[in-house]
Amino acid sequence: MKIAVFCSANNSIAPVYFQKTEGLGRWMAAEGHTLVYGGCNSGLMECVGRAVHEGGGLTIGVIPTLVEKGGRQSQYVDVEIPCDNLDDRKHLMQVQCDVAVALPGGIGTLDEVFTLAASHTIGYHQKMVILYNIDGFWDSLVALLDDLQAKGMIRGNYTQYVQVANTFDELRQLLAQVRPSAE
């Protein structure tokens, strides 16, 4: 299947995030899954791209022209899909993937998570976002979602759109439930 990975492009973050990201990338390659990601040459983006690529898997980088012009494109991108801006990137990643996994990240990662989840709630697609809660990274976001749910701000149950995996085994179990699109 095609797994979009949303994650940090920062290098100065906890080593555990890199360790778990590399493990995810190696597993994806071994299982024959394709990585769809932002294609940057830093942080967790570079880590997951390198792990998938070096493991013999396919990487699809959806890369805004500003990133390419800035020389920040990863050498581990096998297939490049150029785009104009971040809105285009999110749309193209959504179209390309069967499911999305959010690793630790910042504002851009949150933007990607909520864009995909919001478009699911409206009915544009049925693709799930899975928060890989490495070392409790997403605990505060899950608490916020629980609070919004309790206050009636989320129609239905947010777990219909956003799920949480606290361990790699939980992540694998959630991914095993995904039905890849027929292409």
Side-chain angles (χ1 to χ4, degrees):
M1 83 182 100
K2 290 182 176 179
I3 302 172
V5 173
F6 305 143
C7 60
S8 176
N10 291 333
N11 289 317
S12 300
I13 56 177
V16 67
Y17 303 147
F18 287 98
Q19 294 162 358
K20 298 290 185 175
T21 296
E22 184 177 344
L24 172 62
R26 285 194 316 263
W27 174 83
M28 286 176 62
E31 293 295 315
H33 300 306
T34 297
L35 170 66
V36 179
Y37 75 128
C40 286
N41 64 359
S42 58
L44 300 181
M45 271 199 240
E46 179 76 342
C47 181
V48 72
R50 181 179 57 248
V52 171
H53 179 83
E54 289 180 351
L58 181 67
T59 65
I60 299 172
V62 184
I63 305 168
T65 53
L66 192 61
V67 169
E68 192 171 15
K69 285 179 186 175
R72 295 178 301 181
Q73 179 176 332
S74 174
Q75 67 180 355
Y76 302 110
V77 171
D78 297 313
V79 177
E80 178 186 352
I81 299 177
C83 60
D84 292 329
N85 54 51
L86 294 177
D87 288 333
D88 290 343
R89 177 197 256 176
K90 289 182 296 186
H91 173 73
L92 291 167
M93 288 179 75
Q94 175 183 302
V95 169
Q96 285 291 318
C97 78
D98 297 308
V99 63
V101 173
L103 302 175
I107 292 171
T109 301
L110 288 171
D111 181 38
E112 291 165 332
V113 164
F114 286 115
T115 296
L116 196 69
S119 59
H120 186 163
T121 67
I122 294 171
Y124 285 111
H125 61 79
Q126 298 299 310
K127 299 171 185 183
M128 188 63 62
V129 176
I130 303 169
L131 304 175
Y132 186 12
N133 197 22
I134 298 170
D135 206 26
F137 182 84
W138 293 115
D139 286 351
S140 58
L141 179 61
V142 171
L144 174 63
L145 290 169
D146 287 341
D147 187 48
L148 291 170
Q149 186 83 57
K151 291 177 177 168
M153 296 296 164
I154 298 176
R155 219 170 307 133
N157 188 325
Y158 76 82
T159 60
Q160 296 171 305
Y161 320 109
V162 178
Q163 295 181 327
V164 181
N166 291 302
T167 66
F168 185 64
D169 283 340
E170 288 178 11
L171 178 61
R172 285 193 347 233
Q173 290 170 11
L174 289 171
L175 289 170
Q177 298 171 21
V178 174
R179 299 292 161 244
S181 59
E183 290 184 27

